[in-house]
Amino acid sequence: MPTPSPGGIFAAVLTPLNADYSVNHAALVDHCHWLLANGCHGLAVLGTTGEANSFSVEERLAIVDALIDGGVPGGALMPGTGCCSIPDTVRLSAHAVENGAAGVLMLPPFYYKGVSDDGLFAAYCEVIERVGDRRLKIFLYHFPQMSATPISYGLIERLLARYPNTIAGMKDSSGDYVNMAGAARRFPGFGVMTGSDQLLSALLADGGIGCITAAANIASNLSARVYANWQSGDTGAMMDAQQKLSAVWAALRGVPLSAGLKEIIAGHRNDQTWRTVRPPLVQLDGAQSADLAERLAATGHQLPPVN
Amino acid sequence: MPTPSPGGIFAAVLTPLNADYSVNHAALVDHCHWLLANGCHGLAVLGTTGEANSFSVEERLAIVDALIDGGVPGGALMPGTGCCSIPDTVRLSAHAVENGAAGVLMLPPFYYKGVSDDGLFAAYCEVIERVGDRRLKIFLYHFPQMSATPISYGLIERLLARYPNTIAGMKDSSGDYVNMAGAARRFPGFGVMTGSDQLLSALLADGGIGCITAAANIASNLSARVYANWQSGDTGAMMDAQQKLSAVWAALRGVPLSAGLKEIIAGHRNDQTWRTVRPPLVQLDGAQSADLAERLAATGHQLPPVN
């Protein structure tokens, strides 16, 4: 049985870029401190929202280094480390462990489609053996809409049986509540975190341990209120916060998430460079941007002030 | 109008591995010389069949270096260089150009799904500008079943308009004959190569310039006969060779290609290490292997002898 994970509210952290598409480390460090000061328990940097796969391994290592150098606690980090190639995944995961990361969020190898659970099991085993560090805590990343490589219950079961102290949980970004709640029920001690803000309170009640979401980049104060009120047992206050959070989530529906959230932060910080996304993503156009701003304003949500 | 590309028969070259999943450079060099001696005009190393995305950038660079060091002419190479991240694609493409490669086979960035043609156009443009070398010749890699990121005619048109001397052609692995023949007709001078052996003679007649196929790892002698007889105008001999080639292709249907072809080469060379594939791919089991051997034997196809 794995040790229960700490859980809580993790932002799927955006990666701010300069106009030439290079990473703006200073802006990223600022953003991370702001998130930690406004409700986030942890930072899932370098996930899908953070455009991780658009960066080289060297750029990804440099991002984690910059955060540590910038005073972000290693223990608050859950970097995305799952690549198509085992050597890349090993290198990024070992580096996260060396920096004291709370865990790593690990996509399965995602180029080949229709691969077997035998193949995915072999890939995860090879990574774990090569990292060879008992401090490694893996959160499996289930996001079939993007990776086209689902994490099945059968795979989780086999991995937990072989590596009970390493397989810490799963981020479920499928939006399929039955799948995430079912995993929390089926595998006690396996930390299921939802990728869907609107399902946070429901999953906490069903045994999940928290969330890793894109909207936490702009609304971690709300998700933190859901979580705190769940912990203290104030269900009325929890549901009030959940409703506000779900309204923010609804305002983002249909918007490309990384570009849309960067647009919102750019407006909040009055820094147009924040709008930059690396191709193949594209910035919102003027109409999309205005529409998003209007829908967000209609929710009444206020982003916490920046220093 | 781009300069017509040379075309011909390119193998989507398998990458032999050692038992520990490291690349067996010596076996790869041997295999490439054998392919060139038996009908291949060129070598599309590090494509889907070659498990490219299962290797780190460093491993991919080392593979090309090993081939050059092993006496394989740079001009025979068309390495796969398209990664999810622009810096990786740039590094691999520049290295291929420096080694005199005939071209590069470039997947679009393939992690994000549902990306726009604007985003793919921006990604290809950024790569081309950063490589900044007039010797760069890109074959776009259209393989929607695996990349989930199709190359549309609209994207080809925009890229050809901006970079007529760099956008050399496309490998179409979709199996969709209407798409590949349509591209050959629509974009004169744009070299369309099919990824489907059984469509080789048809596409040559419709303006395509050749093929890049997995089956060429075991049947390049047949595909070369299709091509040579097409060039000399002996359509009877061409169709005879096409029928034999299509029979080999049919024997491979339903078999995981990299694992199946490695199984065949392992038997032909009496070298069981050749069976190794890197996870998430898996080796064939005994029954699959026996079934494949039986179906291939039924075609009467003989692999050329190895030294």
Side-chain angles (χ1 to χ4, degrees):
Chain A
M1 199 72 63
T3 317
S5 302
I9 307 304
F10 280 63
V13 181
L14 294 162
T15 310
L17 304 177
N18 298 303
D20 66 356
Y21 302 129
S22 60
V23 178
N24 186 334
H25 290 141
L28 176 60
V29 169
D30 277 355
H31 183 56
C32 285
H33 282 298
W34 179 74
L35 289 171
L36 290 174
N38 289 286
C40 281
H41 304 106
L43 303 165
V45 295
L46 291 166
T48 301
T49 306
E51 302 174 70
N53 292 305
S54 297
F55 301 120
S56 68
V57 168
E58 288 73 20
E59 287 178 309
R60 293 168 74 153
L61 296 171
I63 283 170
V64 171
D65 289 340
L67 290 169
I68 300 290
D69 291 348
V72 174
L77 297 178
M78 189 191 292
T81 63
C83 301
C84 292
S85 93
I86 290 172
D88 289 345
T89 304
V90 168
R91 197 169 159 206
L92 293 170
S93 300
H95 183 257
V97 168
E98 286 155 17
N99 282 288
V104 299
L105 183 56
M106 199 179 287
L107 278 170
F110 56 82
Y111 178 65
Y112 292 103
K113 306 304 183 289
V115 295
S116 64
D117 273 5
D118 284 349
L120 295 178
F121 180 70
Y124 276 113
C125 289
E126 189 71 17
V127 167
I128 293 167
E129 296 295 336
R130 290 194 191 189
V131 173
D133 193 313
R134 297 177 63 86
R135 295 170 297 173
L136 176 65
K137 301 290 174 195
I138 295 176
F139 285 77
L140 305 168
Y141 194 175
H142 177 61
F143 195 177
Q145 293 90 332
M146 204 61 85
S147 66
T149 308
I151 307 290
S152 72
Y153 287 176
L155 177 62
I156 295 169
E157 191 160 19
R158 288 169 70 180
L159 286 169
L160 278 174
R162 183 165 308 178
Y163 301 106
N165 295 310
T166 301
I167 302 299
M170 169 168 71
K171 176 185 179 186
D172 188 332
S173 292
S174 67
D176 176 352
Y177 188 71
V178 171
N179 189 71
M180 59 188 90
R185 191 161 39 242
R186 185 161 175 159
F187 305 112
F190 177 73
V192 179
M193 301 183 80
T194 179
S196 308
D197 299 275
Q198 78 282 14
L199 299 175
L200 173 58
S201 57
L203 189 66
L204 289 171
D206 267 340
I209 63 165
C211 67
I212 303 174
T213 75
N217 281 283
I218 59 164
S220 52
N221 51 345
L222 296 177
S223 11
R225 277 176 49 205
V226 174
Y227 190 77
N229 285 301
W230 159 251
Q231 288 192 301
S232 67
D234 186 342
T235 50
M238 175 179 82
M239 289 315 294
D240 177 71
Q242 177 67 65
Q243 281 187 313
K244 290 185 169 65
L245 177 62
S246 295
V248 171
W249 173 81
L252 291 165
R253 283 209 76 168
V255 175
L257 267 183
S258 300
L261 290 165
K262 283 186 163 182
E263 193 78 33
I264 293 165
I265 302 276
H268 187 57
R269 290 184 172 269
N270 195 23
D271 174 0
Q272 290 303 298
T273 311
W274 248 103
R275 299 179 67 223
T276 312
V277 289
R278 192 175 275 194
L281 301 188
V282 294
Q283 293 181 13
L284 300 197
D285 63 28
Q288 288 175 308
S289 176
D291 183 54
L292 173 60
E294 189 177 318
R295 281 187 287 137
L296 187 64
T299 69
H301 177 60
Q302 300 286 332
L303 277 68
V306 291
N307 294 332
Chain B
M1 199 70 67
T3 317
S5 302
I9 306 306
F10 280 63
V13 180
L14 295 162
T15 309
L17 303 177
N18 298 304
D20 66 356
Y21 302 131
S22 62
V23 178
N24 186 334
H25 290 141
L28 176 60
V29 169
D30 277 355
H31 183 58
C32 284
H33 282 300
W34 179 73
L35 290 170
L36 290 173
N38 289 287
C40 281
H41 303 106
L43 303 166
V45 294
L46 291 168
T48 301
T49 306
E51 302 174 71
N53 291 305
S54 298
F55 303 119
S56 68
V57 168
E58 287 72 20
E59 288 179 308
R60 292 168 73 154
L61 296 170
I63 283 170
V64 171
D65 289 340
L67 290 169
I68 299 290
D69 291 348
V72 174
L77 296 178
M78 188 191 293
T81 63
C83 300
C84 291
S85 94
I86 290 172
D88 288 345
T89 304
V90 168
R91 195 168 161 208
L92 293 171
S93 300
H95 183 257
V97 167
E98 286 156 17
N99 281 288
V104 299
L105 183 56
M106 200 179 287
L107 277 169
F110 55 84
Y111 178 66
Y112 291 104
K113 305 304 183 288
V115 295
S116 64
D117 272 6
D118 284 350
L120 295 178
F121 181 70
Y124 276 113
C125 289
E126 191 70 18
V127 167
I128 293 167
E129 295 296 336
R130 290 194 191 189
V131 174
D133 194 312
R134 298 177 62 85
R135 295 170 297 173
L136 176 65
K137 301 290 175 194
I138 295 176
F139 284 76
L140 305 167
Y141 194 174
H142 176 61
F143 195 178
Q145 293 92 332
M146 203 61 84
S147 66
T149 309
I151 307 289
S152 72
Y153 287 177
L155 177 61
I156 296 169
E157 190 160 20
R158 288 169 70 181
L159 286 169
L160 278 173
R162 182 166 307 178
Y163 300 107
N165 295 310
T166 300
I167 302 299
M170 170 169 68
K171 175 184 180 186
D172 188 331
S173 293
S174 67
D176 177 351
Y177 188 71
V178 171
N179 189 72
M180 58 187 91
R185 192 162 38 244
R186 186 161 173 160
F187 305 113
F190 177 72
V192 179
M193 300 183 81
T194 179
S196 308
D197 298 275
Q198 78 282 16
L199 299 175
L200 174 58
S201 58
L203 189 66
L204 289 171
D206 267 341
I209 64 165
C211 67
I212 302 174
T213 76
N217 281 284
I218 59 164
S220 54
N221 51 345
L222 295 177
S223 13
R225 277 175 49 202
V226 174
Y227 190 76
N229 286 302
W230 159 251
Q231 288 192 303
S232 67
D234 186 342
T235 50
M238 175 178 82
M239 288 315 294
D240 176 70
Q242 178 66 65
Q243 281 186 313
K244 291 185 167 66
L245 177 61
S246 295
V248 171
W249 173 80
L252 292 166
R253 282 208 78 167
V255 176
L257 268 182
S258 300
L261 290 165
K262 282 186 163 182
E263 194 78 34
I264 294 166
I265 302 274
H268 187 56
R269 289 183 172 269
N270 193 24
D271 174 0
Q272 290 303 300
T273 311
W274 248 101
R275 298 178 67 223
T276 313
V277 290
R278 193 176 276 195
L281 300 188
V282 292
Q283 295 182 12
L284 300 198
D285 63 27
Q288 288 175 308
S289 175
D291 183 55
L292 174 60
E294 188 178 320
R295 283 187 286 136
L296 187 65
T299 69
H301 177 59
Q302 299 286 332
L303 276 70
V306 291
N307 293 332

